[in-house]
Amino acid sequence: MELDDVVDMFSVMVKSRPRPSIIDFNKLLSSIAKMKKHAVVISLGEQMQKLGIRHDLYTYSILINCFCRSSQVSFALALLGKMMKLGYEPDIVTLSSLLNGFCHGKRISEAVALVDQMVEMGYQPNTVTFTTLIHGLFLHNKASEAVALVDRMVVKGCQPDLFTYGAVVNGLCKRGDIDLALNLLKKMEASKIEINIVIYSTVIDGICKHRHANDAVNLFKEMENKGIRADVVTYNSLISCFCNYGRWSDASRLLSDMIERKINPNVVTFNALIDAFVKDGKLVEAETLYVDMIQRSIDPNIFTYSSLINGFCMHDRLDEAKQMFKLMVSKGCFPNVVTYSTLIKGFCKSKRVEEGMGLFREMSQKGLVGNTITYNTLIQGFFQARDCDRAQKVYNDMLSDGVPPSIMTYNILLDGLCNNGRIEKALVIFEYMQKSGIELNIVTYNIMIEGMCKAGKVEDGWDLFCSLSLNGVQPDVITYNTLISGLCNKRISQEADALFRKMKEDGPLPDSGTYNTLIRACLRDGDKAGSAELIKEMRSCRFAGDASTIIMVTNMLHEGRLDKSFLDMLS
DNA sequence: GTAGGGTTAG
């Protein structure tokens, strides 16, 4: 039955005489609660009150549960007080509802206290009570308390059931505590609780995400040897895991394996494969799978379309991306903020930021709210189009729309300003960031060091580099390369060499960029021996001359300033 | 007639 029908029935019941019993009203409220329409239940409860239809213990219990489910624990508590005044003693069910409310709100300490109070008041907590609290503890990142509670409930004579183990296993796997989860599987076997496929799939998925894929396959085999048959979800976890590691043949072997076993792949299976192919630049394969899934009568959904749109955008095939966008709408599958952001990014990357902005307005008109990523994309788009003012305006809009900037937002701002010759403005923002305790990452510093070097302020870049360790940030290869390049361009070769030595002593490994920058600097200085030395070292690290170095050497060759052996050395 | 959990994909 639909919600409307049930509500209609309520009005009929209210008018009919004699009035139906409170039990009938409770049944009706309960059915609405099962549809998760908690607000409706609450409002019908109020109407009953006004019409003089007295609540009983069950009515209160249902209403308290609905208040808790809709994050209005304080109202639930008020109702509990009211019902107790009327002489109704709450039972374990009502109190467990309340417990659930505390757990889902930010009141985990009250949840813990409630269970203690229940015991003091002579209630015997059951598996539902404990499971609810365990779930709450995981929600609040208190995994060890949750695990300890499983043991404590056993001590209190309450055997964990499948629900309890499900909650714990899931909580542990999400955190990557795989060993603890595996221990629990053993415990379940010892206490003769049948481990079902969902529990196994949970653990297999956890291993996929936090351990080696082969370990997941081993558990998969172990499970099947015990006579528990994998289902599509189990396969989906493994397939997406293999895809993430680029193990295409393993993934497709699993796909044919499941088809052969008549475990039908579903939309999730195909989405995992399509998305992974797209991200790896294999758009043709992704499109083939898309055709394949349609042939199997599996309907693409918003994930499928968004992945394919992303694929077209990555290859700058914006017309096809837009076509796919229109297609999904025509199929009744409506784009969300991710779909729009993907498309907006495609347009921005293609220097068509105005069209990106148009899409942003379109999505806002449809009631979709841009998130941090959406705004970041547009800000970056305007900077790339050298329109600092519009970029700045989008940033201001972001703040006034209440969307929180991330460190990525700031990095985009700093980078955009630096690249558009507005280093002074970037410095103001950078100082603001330092003062307001925003956690800067190495990318932030790299942007500023590069900006300073480009603006001819290599000394400032050097100072900033020296401040890194004070701020607890490790320089990476880009930091070194940027500063080395800045020093070379300023013809401060000795400092550049010193930095290169420091890098080799206690920094990240030099890469091709490091060597090429130094080699070009040597050549500019006319230091043939030094550059030959560096080239030798670079080659021994299996790097080769890059385009700018080769062009430079070729030019010098033509000018007769170098002999041909130099070019040969480079590659 | 009232309470709890768990798996996959952007």
Side-chain angles (χ1 to χ4, degrees):
Chain A
M1 227 188 325
E2 298 283 318
L3 179 62
D4 290 344
D5 302 329
V6 187
V7 175
D8 287 345
M9 192 191 279
F10 180 81
S11 350
V12 174
M13 283 166 68
V14 163
K15 283 177 205 138
S16 59
R17 293 292 179 280
R19 264 209 188 116
S21 70
I22 186 65
I23 294 179
D24 291 320
F25 279 102
N26 289 343
K27 276 185 184 167
L28 187 118
L29 293 185
S30 164
S31 70
I32 302 174
K34 287 216 172 84
M35 297 175 195
K36 306 217 163 145
K37 305 289 177 190
H38 303 118
V40 178
V41 178
I42 290 165
S43 103
L44 294 186
E46 279 167 3
Q47 284 185 44
M48 284 165 65
Q49 201 78 317
K50 279 182 202 147
L51 294 165
I53 304 168
R54 291 253 297 275
H55 296 173
D56 74 354
L57 180 68
Y58 288 121
T59 327
Y60 281 113
S61 194
I62 294 168
L63 287 169
I64 286 171
N65 190 31
C66 287
F67 274 121
C68 288
R69 288 279 175 164
S70 48
S71 312
Q72 304 182 71
V73 187
S74 49
F75 286 115
L77 281 168
L79 207 56
L80 178 74
K82 191 172 165 188
M83 100 181 220
M84 287 171 76
K85 260 188 204 158
L86 290 168
Y88 291 113
E89 274 294 313
D91 62 7
I92 190 79
V93 174
T94 317
L95 293 175
S96 294
S97 285
L98 198 60
L99 182 66
N100 197 31
F102 282 139
C103 287
H104 281 91
K106 289 182 176 164
R107 306 171 73 161
I108 188 66
S109 54
E110 286 167 87
V112 175
L114 178 60
V115 175
D116 291 337
Q117 283 163 24
M118 283 163 72
V119 175
E120 275 169 30
M121 289 156 70
Y123 292 95
Q124 171 67 54
N126 58 21
T127 53
V128 178
T129 329
F130 283 117
T131 305
T132 305
L133 186 56
I134 286 168
H135 184 233
L137 289 168
F138 272 114
L139 280 179
H140 293 82
N141 240 329
K142 295 176 183 295
S144 35
E145 281 97 325
V147 175
L149 191 54
V150 181
D151 294 326
R152 265 184 35 219
M153 65 189 276
V154 177
V155 174
K156 289 179 193 278
C158 184
Q159 275 303 319
D161 60 12
L162 197 57
F163 279 77
T164 320
Y165 282 110
V168 185
V169 167
N170 181 57
L172 291 173
C173 287
K174 287 276 138 68
R175 298 168 45 94
D177 288 332
I178 305 300
D179 290 328
L180 292 176
L182 290 170
N183 279 344
L184 276 178
L185 291 191
K186 288 200 191 105
K187 248 187 206 170
M188 290 176 78
E189 278 172 342
S191 38
K192 303 265 182 279
I193 291 174
E194 216 182 311
I195 308 175
N196 63 12
I197 181 60
V198 176
I199 304 256
Y200 268 116
S201 294
T202 307
V203 181
I204 287 170
D205 189 67
I207 298 176
C208 281
K209 296 213 165 85
H210 300 279
R211 293 278 173 87
H212 200 280
N214 295 351
D215 294 345
V217 174
N218 287 337
L219 184 61
F220 178 95
K221 287 180 186 156
E222 196 182 309
M223 168 187 93
E224 293 228 313
N225 285 339
K226 285 184 180 150
I228 295 165
R229 191 175 142 88
D231 65 10
V232 56
V233 177
T234 331
Y235 272 101
N236 287 348
S237 285
L238 286 170
I239 287 175
S240 49
C241 177
F242 282 140
C243 284
N244 288 337
Y245 289 105
R247 290 171 63 174
W248 306 113
S249 58
D250 286 317
S252 66
R253 208 195 61 247
L254 278 178
L255 180 63
S256 33
D257 192 32
M258 65 191 289
I259 292 170
E260 205 170 292
R261 297 179 64 192
K262 301 255 185 301
I263 300 169
N264 291 329
N266 61 16
V267 61
V268 179
T269 324
F270 280 95
N271 287 349
L273 288 160
I274 289 173
D275 191 63
F277 275 127
V278 161
K279 286 197 174 130
D280 203 45
K282 297 176 162 50
L283 186 54
V284 179
E285 285 85 344
E287 287 183 285
T288 310
L289 279 165
Y290 169 69
V291 174
D292 190 14
M293 71 186 281
I294 292 172
Q295 275 168 357
R296 289 173 186 277
S297 328
I298 299 167
D299 284 336
N301 61 16
I302 188 162
F303 288 84
T304 329
Y305 290 118
S306 296
S307 294
L308 288 168
I309 288 171
N310 185 31
F312 287 125
C313 286
M314 280 170 71
H315 290 83
D316 207 23
R317 287 159 61 176
L318 298 177
D319 289 341
E320 284 153 287
K322 266 206 138 161
Q323 262 171 31
M324 189 54 80
F325 190 85
K326 279 185 191 154
L327 178 71
M328 68 187 281
V329 176
S330 74
K331 302 258 182 203
C333 179
F334 295 102
N336 63 11
V337 60
V338 177
T339 326
Y340 268 105
S341 299
T342 305
L343 200 55
I344 290 172
K345 187 175 172 189
F347 278 95
C348 286
K349 268 173 66 185
S350 196
K351 304 242 157 121
R352 290 161 68 175
V353 60
E354 283 306 336
E355 283 159 276
M357 204 58 205
L359 282 163
F360 179 71
R361 279 188 218 102
E362 182 186 308
M363 72 171 255
S364 306
Q365 274 164 13
K366 288 185 179 159
L368 293 169
V369 180
N371 59 25
T372 304
I373 297 173
T374 326
Y375 282 95
N376 287 353
T377 307
L378 284 164
I379 294 170
Q380 193 165 36
F382 279 116
F383 274 126
Q384 276 162 358
R386 308 218 149 267
D387 192 341
C388 292
D389 295 336
R390 292 288 296 281
Q392 183 81 41
K393 190 178 173 309
V394 176
Y395 173 66
N396 291 336
D397 291 346
M398 176 178 193
L399 299 185
S400 57
D401 291 343
V403 176
S406 64
I407 183 65
M408 184 84 103
T409 317
Y410 289 110
N411 288 346
I412 289 169
L413 275 177
L414 296 177
D415 191 52
L417 290 168
C418 287
N419 285 329
N420 285 286
R422 301 199 183 182
I423 177 88
E424 295 306 329
K425 191 142 196 194
L427 281 168
V428 173
I429 295 179
F430 185 62
E431 267 170 41
Y432 161 78
M433 289 168 72
Q434 286 173 312
K435 270 187 212 142
S436 52
I438 296 167
E439 204 167 309
L440 310 184
N441 57 26
I442 187 60
V443 179
T444 324
Y445 288 101
N446 289 347
I447 290 167
M448 290 315 293
I449 291 172
E450 187 184 3
M452 288 166 174
C453 289
K454 274 191 183 159
K457 301 178 173 182
V458 186
E459 288 76 10
D460 292 348
W462 181 271
D463 289 343
L464 192 54
F465 174 82
C466 294
S467 78
L468 282 177
S469 58
L470 285 171
N471 294 307
V473 178
Q474 283 294 328
D476 63 10
V477 64
I478 295 173
T479 325
Y480 278 95
N481 288 357
T482 307
L483 197 51
I484 287 174
S485 164
L487 292 165
C488 288
N489 290 336
K490 269 253 172 172
R491 307 291 163 111
I492 320 179
S493 302
Q494 278 172 336
E495 263 96 344
D497 286 338
L499 201 54
F500 182 48
R501 276 196 300 276
K502 179 174 158 52
M503 186 178 186
K504 287 199 278 195
E505 272 164 32
D506 61 358
L509 282 178
D511 66 4
S512 162
T514 325
Y515 284 105
N516 276 285
T517 303
L518 286 163
I519 290 164
R520 287 196 298 270
C522 269
L523 288 171
R524 261 198 306 264
D525 290 347
D527 180 2
K528 282 189 214 173
S531 54
E533 193 66 30
L534 277 165
I535 293 174
K536 230 168 87 185
E537 190 180 322
M538 173 178 82
R539 300 289 293 157
S540 74
C541 303
R542 297 171 177 275
F543 296 124
D546 66 12
S548 356
T549 308
I550 289 175
I551 289 171
M552 185 174 187
V553 168
T554 314
N555 287 340
M556 290 173 79
L557 217 78
H558 288 313
E559 291 160 13
R561 288 155 62 200
L562 280 178
D563 50 64
K564 186 159 182 313
S565 63
F566 243 93
L567 198 55
D568 298 335
M569 279 162 61
L570 279 171
S571 53

